[in-house]
Amino acid sequence: MNQLVISGGKRLEGSMEVHGAKNSVLPILAAAVLSGSVSIIHNCPRLTDVEATLEILRHLGCRVQREGHTVIVDSSTLDRCDIPEGLMREMRSSVIFMGALLARTGEARVCMPGGCELGPRPIDLHLSALRRLGAEIREMGGSLRCRGRGLHGGEIALTIPSVGATENAMLAACGAEGLTVIYNAAREPEIWDLQQFLNACGGRVSGAGSSTVVIQGGRALHTGEHRVISDRICAATYLSAAACAGGEVELTGVPREQLLPVTEVFVQAGCRVRTEAERVWLRSEGALKSVSPVRTAPYPGFPTDAQPPVLAALCRAKGSSVFVETMFENRYRYTMELARMGAQIRVEGRVAVVTGVPCLSAAAVEAPDLRGGAALTVAALAAQGESRITGLRHIDRGYEDIAARLRELGAEVRRTTDSVSP
């Protein structure tokens, strides 16, 4: 059984470059099928979600080559429009291939996607957006049959600013004749990054980063080259680790404005934070302080994916802090594992109240999902003794070799295959 073995209580010191954003590279890889040409994508982290996406591309007939953190996709050989259930169930973001395949081939056959079990996340917004562009979609016992050989532009008004639905609509609209306007679009940096890639391939997309995205479809796309933005959630995780364990950490390559909701929490907690254009520095000395209520929200609000590691960091803060989770109803499952380490957390519905304790104790715990695994890692770095974290298949979805990354900062952590279970 794979597990992280972490000897806590050691200060973190040093500088680290943050790897490419998981939530950005996945839709960009799906978008690579649009051009029917070669896409060169830099800063692609080695994550299991990324590797699963590359397997989907290979299944579709694309030629895929990885050279370090650069991935080269030749979609001129694409000859399929179906994705088998096994690949779809590995990650929820695989649903993004619907829009890309419809735009490229006029057809897509997929099943309902998998991913972390964070509560109901229906894809009805994806389907209604694609139907607005002329797609015909039949739902048959968990599978989706999509046809759209005559896609046309249109106006799409999302009832909530869904990231995935915005991305799917953008991709499909690139293959639709005419102008498409997406209202109440998601504003996340990953949407902007997708726009940059599409435009590098000859697309005409504007407005990403605002609530209105405009796509001029029907344009011939060509070979494109792009560098993926850095992962702001990974950055938030490593800042949480330094805040919790204590120390002085510098993260490079991540735009400061993307981390402002997170760094503001740590400033309230008593950390010293300094930011530059592509650099964030945090110093944590002594006990943290409780903070004003943290409420998750779509970008530019506090990110739901950063909530677990930040909450874990505040488990040792003096006083009580309140978290309100507005995005996913099952996001707090990891708090039961934190309790095994001595954390005092009371959860009622979407609200969690964290009362700080003087110290955390090492324990054997299991990651219930990706960001919950990050939270347990943060807590283990500050806990007294040796903690063992299993369920690494979740952590590997979004963090590239997290043990080696933490060792860069002076943490005592190793990955083992011991047979011990929590």
Side-chain angles (χ1 to χ4, degrees):
M1 178 182 297
N2 288 329
Q3 50 188 328
L4 286 180
V5 181
I6 300 175
S7 296
K10 308 217 171 19
R11 288 171 55 85
L12 302 185
E13 307 279 351
S15 179
M16 174 196 297
E17 183 176 2
V18 180
H19 65 62
K22 175 182 88 79
N23 292 334
S24 190
V25 68
L26 301 183
I28 286 174
L29 287 172
V33 310
L34 294 175
S35 68
S37 185
V38 174
S39 298
I40 304 169
I41 306 166
H42 303 291
N43 203 25
C44 290
R46 292 185 178 275
L47 310 173
T48 55
D49 272 10
V50 173
E51 299 309 310
T53 304
L54 298 184
E55 283 305 307
I56 290 175
L57 289 169
R58 293 187 181 101
H59 170 82
L60 294 172
C62 300
R63 297 192 184 100
V64 179
Q65 179 182 353
R66 180 187 274 279
E67 298 176 358
H69 286 100
T70 294
V71 170
I72 303 168
V73 179
D74 181 355
S75 63
S76 66
T77 53
L78 182 141
D79 58 4
R80 306 185 64 141
C81 63
D82 67 297
I83 302 176
E85 182 177 0
L87 290 175
M88 284 291 294
R89 289 193 175 277
E90 287 193 33
M91 57 176 184
R92 181 168 181 79
S93 54
S94 55
V95 74
I96 203 69
F97 275 95
M98 281 197 304
L101 287 172
L102 278 171
R104 172 71 188 278
T105 70
E107 191 173 357
R109 296 194 300 273
V110 302
C111 72
M112 294 297 185
C116 289
E117 298 177 4
L118 299 177
R121 288 187 284 174
I123 62 170
D124 57 311
L125 290 179
H126 298 245
L127 304 185
S128 62
L130 296 177
R131 286 175 173 139
R132 290 287 294 174
L133 301 179
E136 298 176 2
I137 304 173
R138 289 188 299 162
E139 302 177 47
M140 304 170 60
S143 66
L144 299 168
R145 302 291 180 91
C146 313
R147 295 183 63 85
R149 298 193 182 278
L151 292 179
H152 54 75
E155 293 187 340
I156 299 170
L158 299 176
T159 55
I160 60 173
S162 163
V163 172
T166 300
E167 292 168 341
N168 242 331
M170 290 171 65
L171 297 183
C174 284
E177 290 296 328
L179 191 71
T180 296
V181 182
I182 306 171
Y183 297 104
N184 197 28
R187 299 167 58 188
E188 273 73 2
E190 294 78 17
I191 302 292
W192 176 87
D193 207 27
L194 177 59
Q195 171 184 280
Q196 300 307 102
F197 172 72
L198 291 172
N199 289 344
C201 296
R204 185 177 291 175
V205 185
S206 61
S210 74
S211 58
T212 303
V213 178
V214 180
I215 306 100
Q216 178 63 60
R219 294 172 60 85
L221 302 184
H222 51 67
T223 293
E225 187 168 359
H226 179 72
R227 180 178 176 83
V228 175
I229 60 173
S230 295
D231 197 312
R232 60 196 172 98
I233 306 304
C234 284
T237 299
Y238 294 122
L239 291 178
S240 298
C244 191
E248 188 172 324
V249 166
E250 178 188 57
L251 303 180
T252 63
V254 60
R256 62 178 293 277
E257 67 274 7
Q258 296 181 11
L259 286 173
L260 285 177
V262 173
T263 54
E264 174 59 28
V265 171
F266 288 129
V267 169
Q268 287 187 38
C271 299
R272 292 182 59 193
V273 177
R274 187 173 69 246
T275 61
E276 298 176 3
E278 298 282 331
R279 193 178 303 268
V280 178
W281 174 89
L282 180 144
R283 182 174 182 177
S284 175
E285 299 286 353
L288 300 178
K289 300 178 294 185
S290 60
V291 301
S292 57
V294 177
R295 184 183 182 89
T296 64
Y299 191 86
F302 189 93
T304 179
D305 284 351
Q307 177 253 101
V310 172
L311 185 151
L314 294 175
C315 285
R316 296 180 61 239
K318 293 180 179 179
S320 296
S321 301
V322 176
F323 286 78
V324 182
E325 174 56 52
T326 68
M327 309 297 285
F328 300 123
E329 65 182 35
N330 291 339
R331 181 62 96 180
Y332 291 126
R333 292 189 304 159
Y334 68 93
T335 60
M336 293 183 289
E337 296 297 293
L338 284 179
R340 301 180 67 174
M341 305 176 78
Q344 293 187 13
I345 307 169
R346 186 174 75 255
V347 176
E348 294 184 7
R350 293 180 180 265
V351 177
V353 180
V354 186
T355 301
V357 296
C359 65
L360 297 171
S361 302
V365 293
E366 182 174 7
D369 52 60
L370 170 55
R371 305 306 173 184
L376 298 177
T377 302
V378 166
L381 290 167
Q384 297 299 313
E386 185 177 88
S387 295
R388 292 175 178 263
I389 304 173
T390 55
L392 300 194
R393 68 188 184 280
H394 296 299
I395 296 175
D396 292 340
R397 291 182 51 231
Y399 296 88
E400 181 182 78
D401 198 352
I402 194 170
R405 292 292 180 125
L406 289 170
R407 285 196 296 270
E408 288 182 40
L409 301 178
E412 190 171 323
V413 53
R414 68 185 188 278
R415 186 172 181 134
T416 74
T417 54
D418 294 346
S419 59
V420 178
S421 60

